[in-house]
Amino acid sequence: MTERSTKGRLLAVGATMLVAAIALTGCSSGSSDKLSQQYGSGTTQNYISGDGAVTEVAQDKRTDAVDFDATTTDGDELTAKALRGKVVVLNFWYAGCPPCRAEAKYLNEVHEKYTDDQVQFIGVNVRDQKATAAAFERTFKVDYPTVLDADKGEMQLALSGQIAPNAVPATIVLDKQGRVAARVLGAVDSTSILDTLVSDELSGKAS
């Protein structure tokens, strides 16, 4: 497992108390201290400044496949088992998150590049209800499916015990077997890193 620095902002998940507790177990002690200070001072931004990082998992270190069964805002069912054989990109976001807005165009570009390939993008909204999420998607022209995860946190919980989305935004790449292959913790600030992660999984070049 290796880490590469990125320029993104590291943001703390604040969907539910249970999911937040899981998320904070994966944060560094310094990050947790800063988040605690924000809550203590009454700040509700729910994110912290920090250096983003890309974590890649070597194929022989990957654990069990992630299992989920979710319904999109359009009413379509998405299951992990049905997506086996595809590279899956999970982007965790919410509408009021400034870095989520900043990274949207880069996610769209990578998504559009692989429209005809075996790649499935899924947006996982950790805070909003349908109308708010839909307004964001219209504004930023997001045309891949979104799952609302604010009430139950099922998509986040599906990654507990794995390399989890310990920040918002966070982007997790699952390999064709449904295993966690990589995570971008913080905003995707260009197309290059995510493009490389996806193409490596498609081509089998991942280590």
Side-chain angles (χ1 to χ4, degrees):
M1 190 179 300
T2 60
E3 293 198 358
R4 300 182 301 198
S5 294
T6 66
K7 298 177 183 177
R9 294 175 62 86
L10 181 61
L11 311 175
V13 169
T16 64
M17 291 300 292
L18 178 59
V19 174
I22 292 172
L24 288 175
T25 62
C27 296
S28 68
S29 59
S31 296
S32 297
D33 290 344
K34 290 180 181 178
L35 189 61
S36 297
Q37 290 170 10
Q38 284 185 8
Y39 280 112
S41 63
T43 301
T44 58
Q45 64 184 21
N46 293 323
Y47 64 83
I48 55 177
S49 299
D51 294 329
V54 176
T55 301
E56 296 181 80
V57 185
Q59 291 197 31
D60 62 352
K61 301 295 184 183
R62 295 176 188 177
T63 56
D64 295 337
V66 174
D67 186 32
F68 59 82
D69 186 342
T71 302
T72 72
T73 53
D74 292 328
D76 297 323
E77 187 177 17
L78 285 174
T79 68
K81 290 181 179 179
L83 293 171
R84 297 287 190 265
K86 293 187 177 185
V87 176
V88 177
V89 179
L90 302 172
N91 177 251
F92 294 80
W93 66 281
Y94 65 91
C97 157
C100 300
R101 295 168 176 263
E103 72 172 358
K105 60 182 178 181
Y106 303 122
L107 292 164
N108 288 343
E109 287 181 35
V110 179
H111 172 250
E112 289 169 7
K113 178 176 179 177
Y114 293 102
T115 297
D116 297 327
D117 292 297
Q118 292 296 301
V119 180
Q120 176 67 63
F121 274 63
I122 303 171
V124 181
N125 187 298
V126 301
R127 181 175 298 184
D128 305 317
Q129 298 303 312
K130 185 175 181 178
T132 303
F136 179 99
E137 292 171 333
R138 288 193 301 271
T139 299
F140 295 97
K141 298 179 173 59
V142 178
D143 63 0
Y144 48 84
T146 290
V147 172
L148 300 179
D149 208 42
D151 293 337
K152 297 182 179 179
E154 291 177 347
M155 293 292 287
Q156 295 162 86
L157 290 170
L159 287 155
S160 63
Q162 304 267 357
I163 297 180
N166 295 345
V168 179
T171 302
I172 291 180
V173 178
L174 305 181
D175 66 15
K176 293 179 181 180
Q177 290 74 49
R179 304 171 301 177
V180 175
R183 177 186 65 184
V184 181
L185 194 60
V188 172
D189 63 356
S190 71
T191 61
S192 59
I193 291 174
L194 184 57
D195 189 357
T196 298
L197 294 173
V198 171
S199 63
D200 283 354
E201 292 305 321
L202 278 175
S203 64
K205 291 181 181 178
S207 61

